[in-house]
């Protein structure tokens, strides 16, 4: 759900979504979802594009099957991004994605000071933020459907339990 490369496929407001490489590092794992990141996006006219620089922490809890994420604005080690975008200096986001008997529940908390006048925010929310969340939800549905298909395929490839070779774990002869 947080695949930065896939985000450019469904998020048409995304100009750039890059992980910040700490000094001294030459590469970063694209599979690690906890990272420092810069996200640059378009805002509805007459607002200029925005640059978000933040730390993201993602974890799962096997006890409840949930996936949790927290993002908070912070200066990145590589410095500020392109100056033609308005840097959002205050940003906090959190979400919990968990399976339920009825499907999937997504709980989000979101705050940002996008440095726009209140009247302009009345344009940004219905034309920018709400469509973003609808696309985000749709992309999660596609991801969940693909994961279900992959899980079913993997379970068909697994050998049946009675085909397991071994001594039953007691170290003795199981022939009785």
């Amino acid at each position: 759900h947080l695949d930065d490369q896939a985000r450019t496929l469904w998020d048409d407001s995304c100009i750039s979504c890059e992980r910040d490489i700490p000094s001294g590092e030459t590469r970063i794992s694209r599979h690690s979802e906890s990272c420092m990141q810069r996200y640059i996006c378009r805002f509805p006219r007459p607002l200029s594009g925005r640059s978000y620089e933040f730390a993201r922490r993602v974890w799962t809890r096997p006890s409840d099957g949930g996936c949790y994420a927290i993002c908070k604005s912070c200066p990145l080690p590589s410095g500020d991004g392109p100056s033609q975008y308005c840097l959002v200096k205050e940003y906090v986001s959190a979400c919990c994605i968990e399976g339920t008997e009825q499907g999937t529940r997504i709980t989000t908390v979101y705050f940002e000071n996008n440095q726009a006048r209140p009247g302009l925010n009345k344009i940004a929310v219905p034309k920018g933020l709400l469509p973003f969340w609808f696309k985000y939800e749709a992309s999660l549905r596609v991801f969940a459907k693909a994961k279900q298909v992959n899980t079913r395929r993997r379970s068909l490839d697994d050998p049946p339990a009675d085909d397991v070779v071994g001594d039953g774990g007691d170290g003795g002869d199981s022939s009785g």
Side-chain angles (χ1 to χ4, degrees):
H1 70 283
L2 297 171
D3 184 342
D4 303 325
Q5 292 176 338
R7 183 174 189 157
T8 59
L9 299 174
W10 62 265
D11 183 1
D12 55 3
S13 67
C14 180
I15 296 171
S16 172
C17 188
E18 302 169 353
R19 294 177 184 212
D20 199 56
I21 300 175
S23 62
E25 299 286 326
T26 56
R27 51 182 249 148
I28 52 174
S29 170
R30 77 177 196 93
H31 301 291
S32 172
E33 292 183 354
S34 295
C35 61
M36 305 284 278
Q37 188 160 27
R38 176 177 290 115
Y39 170 68
I40 299 174
C41 66
R42 294 175 191 84
F43 259 49
R45 293 183 191 266
L47 300 171
S48 63
R50 297 295 194 263
S51 175
Y52 296 83
E53 297 177 354
F54 57 93
R56 176 173 68 191
R57 171 77 172 99
V58 180
W59 71 98
T60 58
R61 283 185 45 192
S63 62
D64 65 8
C67 177
Y68 300 85
I70 296 176
C71 300
K72 185 178 184 315
S73 58
C74 65
L76 298 180
S78 65
D80 291 339
S83 61
Q84 71 260 37
Y85 303 105
C86 179
L87 177 62
V88 176
K89 296 178 182 174
E90 294 179 76
Y91 165 74
V92 177
S93 172
C95 75
C96 172
I97 303 170
E98 54 191 336
T100 66
E101 290 181 12
Q102 296 80 26
T104 302
R105 177 179 36 235
I106 303 171
T107 307
T108 60
V109 177
Y110 184 87
F111 165 79
E112 77 172 70
N113 177 359
N114 64 22
Q115 302 175 19
R117 294 189 315 263
L120 292 176
N121 279 327
K122 290 182 181 179
I123 295 170
V125 170
K127 289 188 175 182
L129 190 58
L130 288 178
F132 167 83
W133 284 113
F134 293 143
K135 290 174 188 171
Y136 182 63
E137 183 212 9
S139 71
L140 286 172
R141 289 182 186 279
V142 168
F143 174 80
K145 193 172 195 177
K147 188 171 182 177
Q148 279 180 333
V149 168
N150 191 30
T151 301
R152 271 191 245 122
R153 181 181 305 136
R154 197 173 329 134
S155 65
L156 292 175
D157 294 338
D158 291 341
D162 57 349
D163 284 354
V164 175
V165 177
D167 64 3
D170 62 359
D173 183 19
S174 60
S175 61

